Amino acid sequence: MSTPLTQADIDLEIAALREPRIVGDGRERHHPSRDYGPYRSTALRHPRQPLIAVKDPEAAELAGPVFGVTDVTALDADLTRQHLAEPLGERITVRGRVLDRGGRPVRGQLVEIWQANASGRYPHQRDDHPAPLDPNFTGVGRCLTGDDGGYAFTTIKPGAYPWRNHTNAWRPAHIHFSVFGTAFTQRLVTQMYFPNDPLFPYDPIFNSVTDEGARQRLVAAYEHDLSVPEWSLGYRWDIVLDGPAATWTEEGR
């Protein structure tokens, strides 16, 4: 058996890959390769075959999501009200806007989130982290952006959790976000983090984005005016779909 990798091993790999890569047209590329070494499972999960050309784009869209304003309710966006009782943990409100590269609002977009509970556990049969499940928290929500491109979720601040990438590997607290666009093939997936998390320096996924500015755009800002008195703490996180200020997604920009 090979010796398990330590955090020090992963730190050295991250540092070696921190320098921007130069692509064929001479531009710097900060987004990680799909087989980013410090994130060990990418070696098995990244695509190795060339892309397949879609001969009939309209036919491909037939498999896309079909939804409208009547399919998404206010309850979908409040993850603390989806069960018979209150979930455990620190209640938070997350607000933001979905914007295009020019700062214009993108209306009517389906935004979905999923996350661990306050103990850092997902309600998934393969999550065997020895932390308690919460019968009153499923950890999934969705909403449609308004005319101003805005979205809002009420949820519980997720906990950190171990993920076995290497010895003593822990993921910082985060919420997964998905924006669908107008078709399934346009779906973008990313993660929102919380400010001043002590696990940032140790996480290969967060550090796979080598551009410091791009990494910081993945971190929400605490805004006291968004906090609801006697109810929840408020965070703001905007999602920019393209351009120099784009929010980095799992497939690039």
Side-chain angles (χ1 to χ4, degrees):
M1 295 180 61
S2 59
T3 303
L5 290 169
T6 66
Q7 183 67 55
D9 296 326
I10 296 297
D11 291 345
L12 289 173
E13 291 185 9
I14 290 173
L17 295 169
R18 179 58 58 85
E19 293 299 321
R21 293 175 291 120
I22 306 299
V23 295
D25 58 5
R27 293 180 302 168
E28 290 185 356
R29 181 175 174 84
H30 294 279
H31 199 276
S33 301
R34 291 179 177 177
D35 57 342
Y36 182 74
Y39 183 3
R40 280 298 185 264
S41 63
T42 61
L44 300 175
R45 294 166 55 187
H46 80 281
R48 293 183 173 86
Q49 302 300 321
L51 296 176
I52 298 175
V54 177
K55 296 181 180 179
D56 186 356
E58 291 186 359
E61 299 301 345
L62 294 177
V66 178
F67 61 88
V69 294
T70 60
D71 300 306
V72 182
T73 71
L75 189 63
D76 294 331
D78 190 340
L79 284 66
T80 69
R81 296 173 52 220
Q82 297 174 349
H83 298 276
L84 294 177
E86 290 281 340
L88 298 174
E90 178 185 313
R91 192 184 292 110
I92 62 173
T93 300
V94 180
R95 291 182 176 271
R97 300 171 71 202
V98 178
L99 306 168
D100 67 13
R101 65 184 299 146
R104 295 177 291 267
V106 183
R107 305 171 179 86
Q109 299 300 294
L110 179 65
V111 180
E112 295 184 324
I113 64 171
W114 62 98
Q115 63 170 93
N117 66 18
S119 299
R121 181 95 182 261
Y122 289 96
H124 190 282
Q125 61 182 359
R126 296 188 63 182
D127 187 347
D128 57 0
H129 170 36
L133 288 170
D134 188 340
N136 295 307
F137 189 76
T138 306
V140 295
R142 62 181 184 169
C143 69
L144 295 174
T145 58
D147 288 342
D148 63 348
Y151 72 84
F153 291 100
T154 300
T155 184
I156 297 297
K157 186 175 182 181
Y161 58 81
W163 63 301
R164 299 175 182 169
N165 185 71
H166 53 278
T167 301
N168 204 23
W170 290 81
R171 295 271 8 250
H174 61 279
I175 297 177
H176 298 269
F177 272 75
S178 164
V179 181
F180 267 99
T182 58
F184 187 81
T185 53
Q186 299 173 359
R187 186 187 188 205
L188 299 176
V189 177
T190 186
Q191 298 181 27
M192 185 204 87
Y193 297 88
F194 293 86
N196 303 314
D197 194 308
L199 292 173
F200 283 159
Y202 309 106
D203 182 47
I205 297 179
F206 181 72
N207 286 286
S208 67
V209 180
T210 56
D211 179 80
E212 174 65 22
R215 278 200 308 277
Q216 292 309 312
R217 290 197 294 274
L218 297 176
V219 182
Y222 172 74
E223 288 196 12
H224 199 63
D225 289 344
L226 295 182
S227 295
V228 181
E230 312 294 331
W231 185 251
S232 66
L233 295 177
Y235 292 87
R236 180 176 298 282
W237 192 60
D238 292 338
I239 301 172
V240 182
L241 300 179
D242 197 10
T247 303
W248 286 98
T249 67
E250 294 183 8
E251 290 293 335
R253 287 199 278 187

